[in-house]
Amino acid sequence: MPLMEHIRELRSRLIKAALAIFIGGVIGFIVRNHLIGVLEHQVCDDMSINGIGKRTAQCPNGVLTISGPTTGITLAFKIALFSGLVFASPIWLYQLWAFLAPGLYKREKRYGLTFIGAAVPLFLAGAYCAYFFLSAIMKALLGFNPTGVAAQLPVDTFLTFVLRMMAVFGVSFVLPLILVVFNLLGVLSGARMAKHWRVVVLVIFVFAAIAVPTGDPIGMSVLAAPICVLYFGAVGFATINDRRRAARRAADPLVNLSPDEASELDLSPAPVEHASSLEDIS
């Protein structure tokens, strides 16, 4: 495909992805109050936290406050953008895939579709994990406040923190899936992944300490533990897949052969015909 065709194809895919994100953002903007209420629920319902804000039915402990005339609209657009990215993720991921697919082999296309199909649920699972443990994390962090001191959490700062946590957890849950795809493509073996597991676990905890906005050990452990489980799950899958691939290749050397690999030549000499047959021909 000529360069200009590639550019036009990229422009078309970007426009479709941006349109999907925009529509998802409009939906998120419309239901923003419901989404904010769901996110606030994890901290507002904890009556052990004594806030200085107005106690309302939506936030009984009064811990969340708002300041500044533009904070509300900034928060609304921030929720809309994040919602648009999440709601439209199957569409913009497919547009990314459709742009790359023409340059892939048939097997690589199959693995790519599998990756997209598994990445979205894993991202959502990671985001939900952050939401599920948010109450415990906030309670532990606010538990260090001195006795008799009321807590004040600006709602925009709190929701930015929650959205960052959910995004980091979601992306982190997808990372082990990339290792599985590399194994399916024959780039990374299960034995190699298992050999360096200690280094990988250390890197996971360092990454979790940096990625978690608070940097506290509780949030770090909540993020690192599921990633470690998913990593060892990826190692187990890769090991089983390597054994299956080795068994199939032993039975048929041409199985799972890449289109870029040359098949082995049969250099054994052909059987010579019997002498009597040659005499008959002559």
Side-chain angles (χ1 to χ4, degrees):
M1 183 184 293
L3 177 60
M4 291 305 299
E5 289 292 329
H6 277 292
I7 295 177
R8 281 192 286 267
E9 176 72 11
L10 176 61
R11 182 183 62 185
S12 174
R13 299 296 178 185
L14 288 176
I15 291 175
K16 292 177 181 178
L19 182 61
I21 294 174
F22 175 77
I23 295 174
V26 171
I27 297 174
F29 186 84
I30 295 173
V31 300
R32 66 187 184 278
N33 289 330
H34 175 72
L35 295 176
I36 292 174
V38 171
L39 297 177
E40 290 176 347
H41 167 74
Q42 293 294 75
V43 67
C44 283
D45 288 353
D46 188 354
M47 298 309 297
S48 65
I49 301 174
N50 183 29
I52 64 173
K54 182 180 179 181
R55 301 176 184 269
T56 62
Q58 188 170 342
C59 191
N61 58 12
V63 70
L64 295 179
T65 61
I66 193 169
S67 60
T70 62
T71 302
I73 190 171
T74 302
L75 181 62
F77 281 108
K78 188 178 296 185
I79 293 292
L81 177 60
F82 185 83
S83 302
L85 289 171
V86 174
F87 293 159
S89 57
I91 298 177
W92 61 260
L93 282 174
Y94 172 77
Q95 296 302 323
L96 175 62
W97 158 254
F99 177 73
L100 298 175
L104 302 178
Y105 295 116
K106 182 178 180 180
R107 184 181 64 173
E108 294 171 341
K109 291 180 180 180
R110 184 172 69 250
Y111 295 154
L113 287 174
T114 303
F115 173 81
I116 294 176
V120 174
L122 281 174
F123 179 88
L124 295 178
Y128 179 78
C129 181
Y131 174 78
F132 181 80
F133 287 103
L134 178 63
S135 177
I137 294 174
M138 294 303 300
K139 187 174 182 178
L141 293 176
L142 295 177
F144 288 96
N145 291 345
T147 304
V149 175
Q152 177 184 2
L153 292 178
V155 65
D156 55 330
T157 303
F158 169 73
L159 291 180
T160 299
F161 164 77
V162 174
L163 294 178
R164 285 182 58 189
M165 286 278 289
M166 295 176 69
V168 167
F169 273 64
V171 172
S172 301
F173 272 48
V174 178
L175 294 179
L177 182 62
I178 299 176
L179 300 179
V180 171
V181 174
F182 283 166
N183 175 259
L184 292 174
L185 294 175
V187 178
L188 187 63
S189 66
R192 189 174 181 182
M193 294 167 60
K195 179 180 179 181
H196 302 288
W197 70 269
R198 294 177 180 84
V199 176
V200 173
V201 170
L202 176 62
V203 171
I204 288 174
F205 274 89
V206 172
F207 166 78
I210 297 173
V212 172
T214 59
D216 64 286
I218 299 176
M220 178 189 71
S221 301
V222 168
L223 175 60
I227 299 178
C228 289
V229 172
L230 290 173
Y231 171 75
F232 286 112
V235 172
F237 176 89
T239 302
I240 295 173
N241 184 58
D242 289 343
R243 292 175 181 174
R244 179 184 59 83
R245 180 182 296 160
R248 293 181 63 186
R249 182 161 289 188
D252 182 1
L254 298 182
V255 172
N256 293 329
L257 195 65
S258 170
D260 294 328
E261 296 181 82
S263 58
E264 296 182 2
L265 297 177
D266 186 4
L267 301 178
S268 59
V272 180
E273 297 185 6
H274 198 270
S276 60
S277 300
L278 296 177
E279 293 175 358
D280 294 339
I281 295 174
S282 61

